[in-house]
Amino acid sequence: MIFSTCNQYSIKGIFLILLLMISTTFIQAQKADLSFSIHLKKANLKEFIFEIEKASGYSFIYGEEIIFKHPITLSLRKAPLSLILQKAFAGQNISFKINKNHIILKKYALQSSKKSFTLNGYVLDSISKETLIGANIYDQKNGVGTTTNPFGYFSITLPEGGTKLNFSYIGYAVKQVSLHLWKDTMLTIQLHNDNQLNEVIILSDKPETGIQSSRMGASSIPIPHIKNTPALMSEADVLKSIQLLPGVQNGMNGTSGLYVRGGGPDQNLYLLDGVPLYNVDHTLGLLSVFTPEAVKKVDLYKSSFPARFGGRLSSIVDVRTNDGNMQLYHGSLTIGLLTSHLQFEGPIWKDHTSFIISARRSYIDCFLPLVMPKDERGGYSLYDINAKLNHRFSEQDRLFISFYKGKDHVYYKYKDEDKFKQTHNWGNILLNTRWNHVFTPQLFSNTTLAYNRYVFDIRQEETSSIQQPDGSTIINGSNNLFHSGISDLSISTDFDYHPLPAHNIKFGAKYIYHQFAPEVQTVNQHNSDNGYPQTNDNYSLNNSHIHAHDFSLYAEDDLILNEHWKINAGLHFSFFNVQKQTYLSLQPRLSISFQATSNIILKSSFSQMSQCTQLLSTASLAMPSDLWVPVTRHIRPMKSFQYAVGVYYTGIKNWEFSIEGYYKDMYNVLEYKDGESFLGSSHNWEDKVEMGKGRSFGVEFMAQKTAGLLTGWINYTLSKSDRQFSTDGINNGKRFPYQYDRRHTLNLTLNYQLTRRIDFNMSWTYASGCMATLPTEKTHIELPPTNVPPSWIMDNLNKGDMDHSSSRNNYRLPASHQLNIGFNFHKQTRHGERIWNISILNAYNAMNPNFVYISREAQTGKPILKKMTILPCIPSFSYTYKF
């Protein structure tokens, strides 16, 4: 009863308060709309205020800077107060605001009479003179800003007069520059590295990536995080660091392959200084070709793709390399259990020309022969070489020449009475020349001429000798060669145009001449009798080279509408001609960002992509024999349409939270027909595949701590991906899961600065198993009775057995989970720094399945499902010396 009474009075009280508020608001509105008559002749500010306060009952609030520029003469009869104030303050540089019983006056500056000028230039590291990509420039007075492009260049247009600019970059001390802008001005700003490891932001906040950008599904991964992430044999790896982001999965456990939002491994575009690489794997995918010592910046785009990128459906991995120190000579040496690294850089001509070179090589091939029999030799080796020359002609012109070469080499040979030798070689070579030119303070250009090639070959030599009864010796021999590859020659030009701080316009064009060499097979067989040649036969299977012309145009505008709305809109047009067949594609891209509150941002995006090359793959591993082939008259380009929305929250200091959802439709995706596979030959490959459609959708949750002694993130992805083909084709037209459809993925990454000399790094991953097709029934064909011996019947009884499966990808492998930990011990010396790294891969020895297969018991023939694990617990260490 008491509670009911209280509720009754509370409701009445709330109702009376609301009524009072509404009444007050109504009275104020009525009061503001009251009409007054006023007659003034050459009155100053005080005389005007006295008359208004006497007639209306309002009081004025203003500062000493509020004065009339000229006396006013005003005669109005029964005019609203707002109209009287507008007439009185017209042309006086005075604004007014009516607030309850007060009229607040403020002074504002007329900008219409002021000119605008452009401030442009480069942001550099103060010691090395290395350009800083994505450095922030912010004008405190006007509240506008911009960032440096991939070459460290910036441009911002500001009103004439005094200004105070903040230049900042992650890991560097903020620099303030005050100047009076009276003409277009070019500046070179040098920032000092503050060496504060605890302030390194994990996923940096850049113009095209990060929460504050107009894009979504884009991330920048700082190099310190890549170097600190525990990995196989203490080998820091770019792609394995990317695998820890939401929406990104690996293929086979422990490899560096990327499967992004339901896409395949060939749907990722890997760029090294803007030039595509077709094979980015060493040791069957256990390592990638990107060495951290050479890398300057890594960006990942998995939705909201910039219009300048095209040719793939699922992701863009944009890797930029270091330019070289223009002041001092520096270097580092790393010795690990698998490979050793060497990096050296310095000036050729101080402040004008610099160089950098980095190399990596393994040495398994040096030790393996020590444990092999004397008549056998074998081994495996890999190496990577990155080199760059950077020359500055002037502030307007710069030239970069980049080179990369990487190779894997496997060999085996034995020699006794017979001889056998087989070698496998595969790798990339890339040569890239770039010219930067500043046309005007607002217009920057980059022109690139590049050549890149991927080659795979197998050579086999075999010799056998046969002793004849007559004492003569016949020697039979054969030489076999298999060769395949792809090469590109390209030229492109890209423009950055900054007409206003709110507009960042990019446009450009690119042409690529592709040459596909599917495979060349040559066999030479010969024999001799006592050294005299008898026969020499040559056989060859040469698939003719396929030439293709790939041309694209793009334009995009990163537009800031106001303090709440940002839009990035672009178009990508592609022209692909192969075998007298032309495919045209117009691909719109749109991303919208809305700042709902100071801590909450909402985003949405749409991206259309097209892909005109496919990878014919042999297995779930990254095999070097996989072949790139173009579209044909019968195989059309793959297409995707991706829709995404996201919510982001930054209300807790040093924390960022995000939720992103996506839906992607894919068309003309390829799958091998039932019973078909790729076995190292592209001959009639079109007859082995079928085109269909796919879809993938999911939601990604992420929480990350961006600064402090403890940094890292945790993310969870719930996703689904499937494929569907015609009713008379694969799986009878029914949808089936994609091979790498992992329903649940959870990643945890931590970096903790224990002391100034010791840091601890950890990653833990959990993922649902991939899909596999396993037989569910067996057909046995019984042989008819014959008069042959029973032993022959038993030997041939099972040759008619055939396995059948109810549907494709009908079995999900067991889930995998793995803990990796690492420690770095730093020590400063007189001439540099020593770093010991100790890492443990798969710390608690989880037996994650890499392969599954069906075996049968020897006695009963009962089928048994078996799994194979290739990466158990592996401890490792490395030593680095920086000088």
Side-chain angles (χ1 to χ4, degrees), residues 509-734:
K510 185 173 188 177
Y511 169 75
I512 305 176
Y513 175 70
H514 300 282
Q515 181 171 279
F516 299 86
E519 70 268 338
V520 176
Q521 300 182 52
T522 303
V523 179
N524 172 259
Q525 295 181 341
H526 57 273
N527 61 65
S528 62
D529 188 355
N530 282 337
Y532 295 97
Q534 300 296 314
T535 60
N536 192 347
D537 299 323
N538 293 293
Y539 308 94
S540 63
L541 174 61
N542 298 333
N543 283 352
S544 60
H545 289 189
I546 303 173
H547 306 277
H549 303 274
D550 189 353
F551 177 73
S552 61
L553 292 168
Y554 75 89
E556 66 175 274
D557 186 6
D558 205 12
L559 174 63
I560 302 175
L561 296 178
N562 52 44
E563 61 181 359
H564 295 289
W565 292 94
K566 297 178 184 178
I567 294 178
N568 185 284
L571 277 176
H572 181 96
F573 171 77
S574 68
F575 168 100
F576 195 90
N577 178 268
V578 59
Q579 296 178 337
K580 298 182 180 181
Q581 178 71 40
T582 299
Y583 293 99
L584 303 177
S585 177
L586 186 62
Q587 304 159 35
R589 321 276 173 81
L590 178 64
S591 182
I592 301 173
S593 173
F594 174 66
Q595 183 97 32
T597 69
S598 59
N599 298 319
I600 298 177
I601 299 176
L602 310 177
K603 295 184 183 182
S604 63
S605 70
F606 167 77
S607 294
Q608 180 180 339
M609 305 292 283
S610 179
Q611 181 169 337
C612 293
T613 56
Q614 292 90 17
L615 185 67
L616 300 181
S617 180
T618 55
S620 56
L621 287 169
M623 299 295 291
S625 57
D626 295 348
L627 298 183
W628 285 92
V629 293
V631 293
T632 66
R633 296 184 182 90
H634 308 291
I635 303 297
R636 297 187 297 275
M638 294 187 289
K639 293 183 179 181
S640 71
F641 301 83
Q642 184 173 176
Y643 312 83
V645 294
V647 181
Y648 309 84
Y649 177 71
T650 58
I652 302 176
K653 185 179 180 181
N654 296 334
W655 282 87
E656 293 179 355
F657 302 87
S658 65
I659 302 175
E660 290 188 8
Y662 67 91
Y663 181 90
K664 180 164 65 175
D665 278 320
M666 294 170 281
Y667 298 92
N668 302 330
V669 294
L670 300 183
E671 285 272 346
Y672 287 109
K673 296 178 180 178
D674 293 330
E676 298 285 357
S677 64
F678 166 65
L679 297 175
S681 173
S682 66
H683 184 65
N684 294 329
W685 71 271
E686 299 168 86
D687 299 329
K688 300 178 181 179
V689 298
E690 185 175 339
M691 289 188 300
K693 59 183 180 180
R695 64 176 183 178
S696 63
F697 49 91
V699 60
E700 302 163 359
F701 303 87
M702 186 164 185
Q704 57 176 326
K705 190 173 186 297
T706 57
L709 293 177
L710 177 65
T711 58
W713 67 74
I714 182 171
N715 61 66
Y716 167 72
T717 301
L718 174 64
S719 62
K720 182 178 180 180
S721 181
D722 57 31
R723 302 290 187 264
Q724 186 177 28
F725 294 82
S726 61
T727 54
D728 57 347
I730 299 173
N731 210 50
N732 297 319
K734 298 178 181 179

Side-chain angles (χ1 to χ4, degrees), residues 111-119 142 156-161 181-185 441-442 499-501:
Q111 299 291 337
S112 58
S113 62
K114 282 195 173 185
K115 297 181 180 179
S116 294
F117 297 103
T118 299
L119 184 69
N142 298 286
I156 184 170
T157 301
L158 301 171
E160 178 185 14
L181 199 62
W182 59 278
K183 65 175 182 178
D184 290 343
T185 304
Q442 295 89 5
L500 295 169

Side-chain angles (χ1 to χ4, degrees), residues 248-266:
V248 183
Q249 301 167 347
N250 63 348
M252 193 186 75
N253 185 61
T255 63
S256 58
L258 300 185
Y259 295 79
V260 181
R261 290 187 170 179
D266 62 338

Side-chain angles (χ1 to χ4, degrees), residues 311-328:
R312 300 294 187 273
L313 300 189
S314 293
S315 78
I316 312 294
V317 180
D318 187 12
V319 179
R320 301 282 174 167
T321 59
N322 290 306
D323 297 331
N325 196 314
M326 282 197 171
Q327 292 294 314
L328 302 171

Side-chain angles (χ1 to χ4, degrees), residues 272-277 385-389 400-406 428-434 448-453 488-491:
L272 185 63
D273 284 333
V275 182
L277 285 176
I385 299 175
N386 286 274
K388 181 183 282 190
L389 189 69
F400 303 87
I401 300 176
S402 304
F403 172 80
Y404 168 77
K405 181 171 174 52
N428 301 278
I429 186 170
L430 183 151
L431 182 62
N432 180 10
T433 301
R434 291 177 293 154
T448 303
L449 179 65
Y451 171 79
N452 65 301
R453 184 184 66 178
D488 289 347
L489 182 63
S490 64
I491 184 170

Side-chain angles (χ1 to χ4, degrees), residues 214-232:
S214 60
R215 300 190 183 280
M216 62 183 305
S219 304
S220 286
I221 301 94
I223 303 305
H225 168 71
I226 294 173
K227 292 182 178 180
N228 291 335
T229 300
L232 175 67

